Structure formats: C-alpha cells, structure tokens
Amino acid sequence: MEKTYYNSADLGKFGSISEFQPTLAAKFFDYYGEVFKEGALTEREKALIALAVAHAVQCPYCIDAYTTGSLEKGADEAQMMEAIHVAAAIKGGAALVHGVQMMNKVKEVMM
Amino acid sequence: MKSLAAQNSPFADTAFQLDVLMQPQQQGTAFPMFGQRLLDHGLLPLKPTQISILQINVGKMCNQVCKHCHVDAGPDRKEIMTRETMQLCLDALAQTDIPVVDLTGGAPEMNPYFRWFVEEISKLGRQIIVRCNLTIILANKKYHDLPEFFKQHRVQVVSSLPYFTASRTDTQRGDGVFDKSIKALQMLNAVGYGQEGSGLMLDLVYNPAGSFLPGNQKALEGEFKRRLKQGYDITFNNLFAITNLPISRYLDYLISTGNYEPYMEKLVNAFNPAAAANVMCRNTVSVGWEGSLYDCDFNQMLELPVESRAPRHIRDFHLEALTARNIVINQHCYGCTAGAGSSCGGETVS
C-alpha cells in the first residue's frame, strides 16, 4: 500500500505522546476527558461540536473518532451532516466576510 | 434474507464461530484471554450470586430476520419448545422462588403454546418478561390482541427498537419494520403500556446499528423519549442499551465488512472490572428450546452448555447445584463487560 503521512492505526496510539513528555500529556488527557463529560452541554452535543470542528481543522483522526463518537452518543445522520454544514458555513463565511476588507481596500485605492 | 443456517453459512457452525473468536489478529498478536482478565480482577472462576431470573428461549422461529441477530432466528427456523418441555420449566419454577421469568426467542409469541405457558407462569405468581419484537403484533390477525393478553397477565414487555428513525431501524431489522414497530408501540400505549400510573411496563432495547458501542443509557433514553413523543406520541418506561456481542450474524457482519478486529479491540480496551462483577450470567439461568441449560442466551447460541458437573437439562433442574456452578466463559464475553456493561436489562454499572 502507498505510504501516506496519515495512518489510521495512529489514532489508537494517541496516548503514546506521553512517552516523550508525560507531565504535559497527563494534563492534556485529564483536561480532554473532563471537557467531553456531560455538563451544561450533553455528551451528544459535544460530540457533534467535535465532529464539526474536526472538519474545520481537517483532522482525519478526529473525523474518524467523532463520527463513531456521534453515533455512539445517539446522533442521527442528519444531525451529523448539519453539524458539518455549520463548520462549512463558518469557514465559508470567514472567507467571505473578508470581502468587506477587500471592498474597503478597493474603495481606498480606486478613484 | 435467509438465516445463516438456511444459507449453509460457516457462521451457522458454532465451532467455526468459536474458532474465529480465538484466532490471532492479522498482525499476529491474539486478543487477551477473557478468563485472564477475570483472573486479574479476582473473578475467576466466575460464580453465580443468586439465581433470580429464568430466561427461557421458546424457539428460533421469528417473523423478522435482523442483520445482527445472535439467535440466527427467522421464518425458516423451525426449532421451537414443546409443551412437554414447557411443563418441565413450570415444574422447575414451582420448586423454587425464582421471581422473574424472561421469555425470549425468536418471536416467542409464534410458539403455539406461548399463551398457555404465560398463563401457567402467571398462576405461579412470577413476574413475566416477554421480549416482543413489536412487528409480530401486526404480523397476523391472531396476534392483534397481544397487547390485551399481555395486560391481562401484567407482562413486562421489552422490545427492540434500535433507533427512532426508519432508515437506521430498517437497515438492521428489515424494510418496513420501523413503521410497524411504531404502530405496535401505539397499540401497547393504547391499552396502558408505558403510561404513568398504569404499572404496565414497556421497555425498549437500543442496540447499535453498526460496529460501534452504545453510548450512555440515560442520555439515549432521554433522546428516545423526546423523539418518540414528538414524532409519534409514544411513551415508554426504560431504555436498555445493549452491546452487540460478536457471535452469529453480527460476527458474520463484522468479518465481512472488515470491522471485526477494530470492534474486538474496542471491547477489549473498554473492559470494565465493575461490569465484569455484574454480568447477567451471575443471576440468570438460560433454557434452550430443547430444555438444555446455559449460562446465558449467548452461550446457548454458541452451544456452550453449563459446566458438566451442574444439571444440564431443565428436567434435572436443581437450584443449589446451579448456584454452585462455575460459569462458562469465552472471548465473546467481552461484549458484556465493556464500558458501563451490557445485559438483557441494559447497563450493569450505574
């Protein structure tokens, strides 16, 4: 098989980052675990947010993890796709809103 | 869709299934032995606590052919419990105080002696659970009055509904199953099942429609209650979240889709000693359609009977001897010990 930078098996080895720096890894994983516990938001809502963010940051590991995570927490396919549309809308909007800056500059430099 | 047995699939062979479960992974390492995990936590040999449930599988005949079915049930399965064997079950019950009788199948209602059996168990004053697939109520006119019959005997109805949408439910349980299940739930609601104050218990079983584990039972229950009430004005009591065990049709699905190793890895990594201490085989004895005794319905389908020094047939039922037995375990048992645990009553760790 062709070698790529991403290997799906590496997701399962996430914990091994502690090998090179255990203190910071332990703090991160404790924090990570706390973040995804039910709080003001349900675990399902958090999994859907994570799924949307995974697409925005284009992390294949996170997409795998939070597709399964969203299913496990009881999300349906429509909810999952809508979450991704939220990410897409924000990413698209983030590009487009800079159009105002472009327009400002046009008005500045044009006669 | 035909059963694995009718297809002559190798997965209909229990020795083949057990062989698959024992095989090392592709990269050569084997999954850790379940027995070793129990030993590490002081739980081997696994012993019963107190036998409080007699689960009776009255046959493999079913009107549905679900993709994940651990029984490999379907319309082409003709194995059903005879009235004589049912009488042996009643005799065994009469000599004990086992409070709960859990009737399962197949579709237990398809056994011609089902109603007689329920009436006789009812006379013994035991709590009766029927694992009703819902669609049977609509399958034939002769079943339309099942909600009334259940009500008459205060039967606790426990029904599978893998999801609150048609697409995911039908993918697992067959085309049209969701719509029929909704109609059947409304019929059960109409006679008082699942309604507050009626005392008529209607519980739903959620099990994942794919190679993933169930999420938090309470959270799923809340979501099911909200969606079923909003969409269909249906109410129910409890949701039981059950993990799919890697046997029979579900094992076939896992292997054929390349999901077997990741799924087993998930189960193994999610091993929870607290769930292992609460497994249902510690308070249950399972009876097969032909009267043989097993530690659970999954062992029954793998043809792993109770250990040889315990009574192995319902005619020889002996509560003390069965309570003293060592429970038979294998690699599929990881399914009951993952995360919050899994049993016929859902999570085992709160």
Side-chain angles (χ1 to χ4, degrees):
Chain A
M1 205 176 108
E2 192 187 342
K3 274 202 164 187
T4 65
Y5 283 101
Y6 286 110
N7 178 352
S8 61
D10 286 350
L11 175 59
K13 300 174 191 162
F14 191 8
S16 72
I17 63 156
S18 63
E19 204 178 302
F20 285 7
Q21 222 305 352
T23 314
L24 294 179
K27 284 178 189 290
F28 172 80
F29 286 119
D30 280 352
Y31 167 76
Y32 194 97
E34 278 300 311
V35 164
F36 281 95
K37 281 184 184 162
E38 176 147 346
L41 293 171
T42 64
E43 290 184 345
R44 185 177 53 85
E45 288 163 338
K46 288 180 181 184
L48 286 167
I49 293 170
L51 182 68
V53 174
H55 283 76
V57 300
Q58 293 171 316
C59 166
Y61 301 120
C62 316
I63 292 171
D64 276 3
Y66 287 99
T67 297
T68 311
S70 297
L71 289 170
E72 287 178 348
K73 307 298 181 210
D76 66 28
E77 290 86 333
Q79 290 171 332
M80 291 161 69
M81 190 55 85
E82 281 186 28
I84 293 166
H85 277 290
V86 171
I90 294 295
K91 285 209 89 170
L96 280 172
V97 74
H98 287 80
V100 179
Q101 190 178 342
M102 176 273 283
M103 287 164 71
N104 289 342
K105 192 69 184 173
V106 166
K107 285 167 189 169
E108 185 188 312
V109 299
M110 292 281 285
M111 289 177 88
Chain B
M1 194 171 116
K2 285 182 178 174
S3 67
L4 296 171
Q7 292 175 49
N8 288 319
S9 161
F11 287 94
D13 176 359
T14 54
F16 178 82
Q17 292 179 52
L18 289 166
D19 209 35
V20 169
L21 288 166
M22 293 301 288
Q23 272 170 18
Q25 300 176 74
Q26 278 174 8
Q27 73 264 31
T29 55
F31 289 111
M33 296 300 290
F34 183 75
Q36 184 61 46
R37 298 302 280 271
L38 290 187
L39 188 63
D40 294 344
H41 292 91
L43 288 165
L44 197 75
L46 189 63
K47 305 289 283 188
T49 45
Q50 185 186 11
I51 298 168
S52 53
I53 303 170
L54 189 68
Q55 188 172 61
I56 306 171
N57 192 312
V58 297
K60 299 185 178 184
M61 192 183 285
C62 190
N63 60 315
Q64 290 184 190
V65 191
C66 301
K67 278 189 192 154
H68 69 302
C69 183
H70 71 281
V71 179
D72 192 27
D76 59 47
R77 299 303 300 263
K78 308 300 178 201
E79 304 94 323
I80 52 164
M81 186 176 276
T82 62
R83 185 170 158 144
E84 290 69 32
T85 306
M86 286 179 174
Q87 185 58 57
L88 294 173
C89 294
L90 293 166
D91 295 345
L93 279 168
Q95 53 156 297
T96 71
D97 293 324
I98 295 175
V100 180
V101 181
D102 186 342
L103 300 179
T104 189
E109 302 89 341
M110 290 179 83
N111 185 305
Y113 309 108
F114 169 75
R115 292 193 193 213
W116 169 81
F117 196 34
V118 168
E119 284 160 6
E120 294 302 310
I121 300 166
S122 187
K123 284 181 198 164
L124 291 171
R126 311 303 161 94
Q127 183 196 339
I128 305 168
I129 297 171
V130 171
R131 297 193 179 263
C132 170
N133 71 13
L134 295 172
T135 63
I136 190 67
I137 295 174
L138 296 151
N140 187 299
K141 210 172 161 186
K142 66 181 176 182
Y143 299 124
H144 290 356
D145 67 335
L146 276 170
E148 281 293 345
F149 176 77
F150 291 148
K151 180 182 178 176
Q152 193 186 337
H153 297 283
R154 313 295 291 178
V155 165
Q156 178 185 349
V157 178
V158 178
S159 294
S160 279
L161 189 73
Y163 208 55
F164 42 71
T165 62
S167 60
R168 210 181 288 180
T169 300
D170 290 359
T171 297
Q172 185 189 80
R173 299 176 73 78
D175 287 343
V177 166
F178 181 76
D179 288 346
K180 286 180 197 157
S181 300
I182 290 295
K183 207 166 277 178
L185 285 168
Q186 288 166 337
M187 288 166 75
L188 287 160
N189 274 175
V191 300
Y193 269 98
Q195 307 283 9
E196 215 178 314
S198 72
L200 296 169
M201 298 296 286
L202 172 60
D203 299 322
L204 295 184
V205 170
Y206 162 88
N207 59 300
S211 66
F212 53 95
L213 303 186
N216 177 278
Q217 180 170 278
K218 214 65 214 147
L220 286 166
E221 181 183 287
E223 189 65 0
F224 265 69
K225 283 193 168 171
R226 189 174 70 81
R227 298 287 286 261
L228 290 177
K229 182 70 188 164
Q230 264 178 9
Y232 312 98
D233 198 28
I234 286 168
T235 56
F236 65 95
N237 297 100
N238 305 295
L239 182 93
F240 301 148
I242 298 186
T243 302
N244 290 313
L245 262 65
I247 72 165
S248 194
R249 281 187 208 148
Y250 190 69
L251 180 62
D252 180 20
Y253 154 78
L254 289 173
I255 296 280
S256 63
T257 56
N259 280 306
Y260 172 68
E261 288 191 6
Y263 188 76
M264 278 304 287
E265 202 172 311
K266 235 180 221 199
L267 293 182
V268 170
N269 290 342
F271 177 83
N272 179 354
N278 291 341
V279 281
M280 66 178 170
C281 46
R282 302 191 82 181
N283 65 6
T284 304
V285 169
S286 160
V287 189
W289 66 275
E290 77 303 39
S292 296
L293 301 180
Y294 302 88
D295 298 293
C296 72
D297 204 49
F298 299 105
N299 278 10
Q300 182 181 142
M301 298 315 150
L302 285 170
E303 295 175 326
L304 296 172
V306 290
E307 67 164 353
S308 55
R309 64 194 175 99
R312 285 185 140 179
H313 195 276
I314 191 69
R315 78 171 77 85
D316 306 315
F317 192 89
H318 190 280
L319 191 65
E320 287 70 32
L322 284 160
T323 307
R325 79 193 193 276
N326 291 341
I327 293 165
V328 175
I329 52 164
N330 207 294
Q331 294 299 81
H332 63 292
C333 301
Y334 275 116
C336 288
T337 58
S342 180
S343 72
C344 289
E347 289 182 354
T348 54
V349 182
S350 51

